Amino acid sequence: MSPALVIAAAFAYLGVLFGVAHWADRRAYRGRSTIGSAWVYALSMAVYCTAWTYFGSVGRAASGGLWFLPIYLGPTLAMVLGWAVLRKMVRIARTYRITTIADFIGSRYGKSPALAGLVTLITVVGIVPYIALQLKGIAVAYAVVTDGAAHGIGAPPWWRESTFYLALGLAAFTIAFGVRHWDSTERHEGMVAAIALESLVKLVAFLAVGAYVTWGLFDGWGDIVARARQVPELARLLTIGDAGAFAWSSWLALTVLAGLSVLLLPRQFQVMVVEAVDERHIRRAAWVFPLYLWLINLFVLPIALAGLLWFGSASPEAEIFVLRLPQAAGADALLLLAFIGGLSAATGMVIVETIAVATMVCNDLVLPWWLRHAARGRAPVDLTRPILRIRRGAILVLLLLGYGYYRVAGDAYALVSIGLISFAAVAQFAPALLGGMYWKGASRDGAMAGLLGGFVVWAYTLMLPSLAKSGWLPATFVNEGLFGIDWLRPEALLGLQGFDPLTHALFWSLLVNVGLYVGVSLVRRPGAAETSQALLFVDVFERTGAEDRPVFWRGEASLPALEAVLARVLGAERARALLDEQARARGVPVAALPADAALVHWVETQLAGAVGSASARRLVASVVEEQPLRVEDVLDILRETGRLRALSRALEDKSRSLERATAELRAANERLQELDRLKDDFMSSVTHELRTPLTSIRALSEIMRDDPDMDVAQREQFLGIVVAETERLTRLVNQVLDLAKIESGHAVWDVADVDLVAVVQRAAQAAEPLLRDRGARLALELSPGPLMVRADADRLQQVLMNLLSNAAKFVPAETGQVRVRVFSALAGDGPPQVTVEVHDNGPGVPMAEQAVIFEKFRQGGDALDRPAGTGLGLPISRRIVEHFGGRLWLRSTPGDGACFGFDLPLSPPAPRVGP
């Protein structure tokens, strides 16, 4: 394939990544996060899958069969079973603005710059082989795609080798990608978005190659397996070996190593902890990320077996079968896609890893030295430019170191072997990091001793042998031991044999690491600074809120000095904005902000997010006068914080009680106002209703008084009207008094067991004349047998008469029909009840009136042709029914009649008395 085409495709792909990153950064600047999704978070974790996964897993499967699986089984178990550990790491990092794993460990042990620096050194030494792995992967892939040969480093000097310029290009791309401008938050939204896209690209590319090989070159998975079983050398790759001879120690070591690495690798810490937007995303990532790992490894064994079947079982190019198989089949488009997938896997790792490690180098190695020496000379006022230069230089140096290791050991080691050396190095962080999160008694000296001891053993048993096997150290060092002492052989230390070199190195390094960590911590107890940080880390979930976190600081400070140190690192505009925000949170003007311990701690936390906790502590210490604390002082501050927290919670409880009481008083006041309004409305309505008949009586009486010669028939008519209005007035007064007694609780109730069927029959007989005058027909549908309720029979008859008289008023003349139904039923989960319904075929109740029909003085019908009434019958009926535990209701469709009814609970049957 043409080199120009391959280079053009590579640059086009990298340009797309850069465009995605730029787009995501612009959205983040406008407050619209692109990475605030659990899917993006989970995909960014797949930066774990590097050139090692893309090329090296196939090579390992071609030589060891299923032995490539532990590298992915470990992260799967770590995420599924240990997601709570990751959640705690995220909470700690977010609460204390921690941005690197070196800062995490150093901050836990009293913000120790020496410990953070040691972690950084170990990281640099351990990660250089991993960077070399990526360079080797890209270089080999490019050679295969362009001229069909996988070249080694060969004879060309470094200035003529393309891999050297590849390293320089990756350095420039990484600088443009991640540190082209200053970001005091150390959040890289654009980078995370691009890494998530890269994860999809390499997954799709690898699956495409796997599917093509499995079903395009062969007749499916079954065909590949069947052919492999016919070749003895390949048949063994389909098993994990005999149960009695299986190397369980190696399998377990690889699983543990990979599980630790997914939490401790700098790039994984960056995307999983520093870039985490929401802790809730971890729950989804706990199954999405393992699913991704198994998907990208789905075709590893088929590709390995297919390559061995295609090129022969002795083929030395197993690591590039992903490229060789499409190339051999003439599938150039798929070959280019496979190359882009490998480029994506390698560049993703290089970008995130070098940015994370460069931040560690800057914050925990160079910057503390710079600040320490600047104190004796002229220090620059603005640190942003020096910090950017340091990080850019660190990225360049890291990639050149990776290239150097590639030159030294690149051809002597397979991709997987190089990666495992780096994994074993970062595994040394596990005791100090995990122990520090859960053991308050761990000390800085213990962590320092453990890290040093584990690193020395790792270098002696793994790193130096890799250089010896590359020819840069005498082979006698590995075969005979240091100074020819047999029990100092690096791959059989103290005579321990039976392990492979990786398992042997991991066993001894972690044993020494854990032993020194625990032993020294028990002998040399933590000091005041370590004790305070231990409390904050171990109990982070109990001390997440600002009011719950004790401030372990005493001394004197001034607001201008603190603002100046903030501006020195974050810029004047950003510093002023942060102080304004802090002042608003405290409810005071910026000028009135007290320079107390809380503000000093807050300033140091803001600085820690930009330059690391150790450098932040040194910067703050340069502008304040701090009093040294003893362990007793830390405990006193802790007790005082606990007392203040209890007092604050008590005040909050009292405040909530006052708020509840205020709300209740407000509700009661509103209820009184409502009752007062109802009283006024009631008096107005009663006055109006009383005035109408009185006005009629007075007018007719005055007419008869003023006209003594009035015709007898006319006089008789007027007297009849006067009598009718008097009866209406009497009825109105009686109903008002009746309603007032019921509402005030002074009504007299003659409660007994009443047969509701009999009450309905009596009411129907009493209402028969009213219905007959309208020409209406009454139909009864009564339940057989008595239906006993606990009530007042006269009051129930009053309710029924009101419902029947209302029905008689509104049914059409001569064709009116009124139907009364009485039946019993179960009321859901409650006791059985009896229901009475009064149906009519009148005009019904309009929808607008149905909600208010039971209010006082509300009457149905047209205002111009409304039947006579007081508007109190339904309110009184509702009160009566509710008094006996029932409910009065209406069901009506306008134009189709109305159905008024009520429900009452049935009385339990009386116990039988008898022999």
Side-chain angles (χ1 to χ4, degrees), residues 579-590:
L579 286 172
D580 287 342
E581 182 181 338
Q582 181 70 5
R584 284 194 299 271
R586 295 199 186 190
V588 298
V590 174

Side-chain angles (χ1 to χ4, degrees), residues 298-569:
L298 187 64
F299 290 106
V300 166
L301 194 57
I303 292 175
L305 293 175
L308 293 173
L309 289 170
W310 192 282
F311 299 109
S313 58
S315 173
E317 298 184 333
E319 290 183 340
I320 53 175
F321 280 168
V322 175
L323 301 172
R324 282 297 192 201
L325 287 168
Q327 188 178 54
D332 289 344
L334 184 61
L335 174 62
L336 186 60
L337 177 62
F339 172 75
I340 293 298
L343 178 68
S344 179
T347 55
M349 178 272 174
V350 169
I351 291 170
V352 183
E353 198 82 74
T354 52
I355 288 175
V357 178
T359 303
M360 294 167 62
V361 170
C362 174
N363 292 355
D364 300 305
L365 285 181
V366 180
L367 198 56
W369 175 86
W370 177 292
L371 294 174
R372 186 165 56 251
H373 287 74
R376 297 196 296 265
R378 294 183 59 188
V381 175
D382 186 0
L383 287 176
T384 57
R385 288 184 179 276
I387 290 173
L388 278 176
R389 293 191 185 115
I390 293 169
R391 293 183 181 179
R392 291 168 181 170
I395 289 173
L396 179 61
V397 170
L398 283 170
L399 279 160
L400 290 179
L401 286 174
Y403 170 73
Y405 188 89
Y406 164 73
R407 290 273 300 188
V408 171
D411 281 348
Y413 268 79
L415 295 178
V416 171
S417 300
I418 296 175
L420 290 176
I421 292 174
S422 294
F423 273 25
V426 298
Q428 305 308 313
F429 303 150
L433 187 142
L434 299 178
M437 290 170 58
Y438 295 97
W439 182 29
K440 295 179 182 178
S443 69
R444 179 190 58 197
D445 292 339
M448 185 77 75
L451 279 172
L452 279 173
F455 175 69
V456 169
V457 173
W458 165 82
Y460 185 78
T461 57
L462 199 60
M463 184 69 172
L464 294 180
S466 75
L467 297 178
K469 293 175 183 179
S470 303
W472 286 81
L473 289 176
T476 55
F477 166 72
V478 177
N479 300 326
E480 300 176 7
L482 186 64
F483 307 123
I485 302 175
D486 184 69
W487 55 272
L488 289 181
R489 282 187 297 155
E491 295 183 349
L493 193 62
L494 301 183
L496 181 64
Q497 298 182 8
F499 290 157
D500 63 272
L502 176 69
T503 305
H504 174 270
L506 186 66
F507 170 78
W508 279 117
S509 62
L510 286 183
L511 179 65
V512 171
N513 192 330
V514 173
L516 290 174
Y517 175 68
V518 175
V520 175
S521 293
L522 293 175
V523 174
R524 299 179 66 100
R525 305 300 297 171
E530 300 163 65
T531 301
S532 63
Q533 289 299 105
L535 292 169
L536 297 177
F537 272 56
V538 177
D539 299 332
V540 65
F541 290 113
E542 290 78 23
R543 306 183 191 278
T544 297
E547 69 281 357
D548 295 329
R549 293 199 298 269
V551 179
F552 300 106
W553 188 88
R554 288 177 181 175
E556 295 182 1
S558 66
L559 181 61
L562 293 174
E563 182 177 1
V565 77
L566 267 179
R568 186 180 176 190
V569 175

Side-chain angles (χ1 to χ4, degrees), residues 804-837:
L804 288 169
S805 63
N806 285 344
K809 293 175 186 177
F810 291 97
V811 294
E814 306 305 330
T815 59
Q817 294 183 2
V818 178
R819 180 164 53 95
V820 180
R821 295 180 63 220
V822 183
F823 57 91
S824 62
L826 292 175
D829 296 332
Q833 62 183 18
V834 59
T835 300
V836 178
E837 296 179 350

Side-chain angles (χ1 to χ4, degrees), residues 76-247:
T76 298
L77 295 176
M79 290 301 300
V80 174
L81 303 179
W83 64 268
V85 176
L86 176 59
R87 176 171 170 260
K88 190 169 187 178
M89 292 171 66
V90 170
R91 178 68 64 87
I92 291 171
R94 178 180 298 175
T95 302
Y96 306 116
R97 293 179 60 82
I98 292 171
T99 55
T100 65
I101 191 169
D103 194 22
F104 192 99
I105 296 175
S107 179
R108 161 59 182 87
Y109 298 97
K111 301 181 180 178
S112 169
L115 188 57
L118 176 62
V119 172
T120 302
L121 286 174
I122 294 174
T123 301
V124 170
V125 174
I127 220 65
V128 162
Y130 216 156
I131 295 175
L133 184 154
Q134 313 310 312
L135 297 176
K136 178 179 180 180
I138 298 175
V140 170
Y142 175 76
V144 169
V145 172
T146 54
D147 61 12
H151 296 304
I153 60 174
W158 60 267
W159 61 87
R160 293 177 55 190
E161 188 182 6
S162 60
T163 309
F164 171 72
Y165 296 100
L166 170 65
L168 293 180
L170 284 176
F173 185 73
T174 303
I175 290 171
F177 208 86
V179 289
R180 65 183 182 276
H181 56 75
W182 172 245
D183 184 359
S184 61
T185 64
E186 291 304 329
R187 299 288 293 275
H188 306 84
E189 293 225 2
M191 180 192 74
V192 174
I195 294 303
L197 176 62
E198 279 197 316
S199 298
L200 287 176
V201 169
K202 63 192 176 191
L203 176 63
V204 170
F206 198 87
L207 290 177
V209 173
Y212 176 77
V213 169
T214 304
W215 289 284
L217 301 183
F218 293 84
D219 192 20
W221 170 242
D223 181 35
I224 295 175
V225 172
R227 295 191 188 188
R229 290 189 185 280
Q230 297 175 3
V231 182
E233 293 83 357
L234 303 187
R236 66 177 181 83
L237 300 179
L238 298 173
T239 66
I240 59 175
D242 298 333
F246 181 66

Side-chain angles (χ1 to χ4, degrees), residues 125 564 603 683:
V125 174
V603 168
M683 294 303 299

Side-chain angles (χ1 to χ4, degrees), residues 817-902:
Q817 294 183 2
V818 178
R819 180 164 53 95
V820 180
R821 295 180 63 220
V822 183
F823 57 91
S824 62
L826 292 175
D829 296 332
Q833 62 183 18
V834 59
T835 300
V836 178
E837 296 179 350
V838 178
H839 299 257
D840 66 61
N841 64 340
V845 181
M847 295 298 297
E849 296 182 11
Q850 291 184 18
V852 297
I853 195 68
F854 293 104
E855 293 183 3
K856 301 167 188 174
F857 301 107
R858 295 279 186 174
Q859 291 180 270
D862 188 0
L864 299 178
D865 189 23
R866 178 175 292 160
T870 63
L872 291 175
L874 286 177
I876 292 174
S877 299
R878 185 179 64 176
R879 294 285 185 173
I880 292 172
V881 171
E882 290 176 351
H883 181 79
F884 297 124
R887 181 177 65 91
L888 183 64
W889 45 265
L890 163 67
R891 184 174 67 246
S892 174
T893 302
D896 195 26
C899 174
F900 284 88
F902 60 89

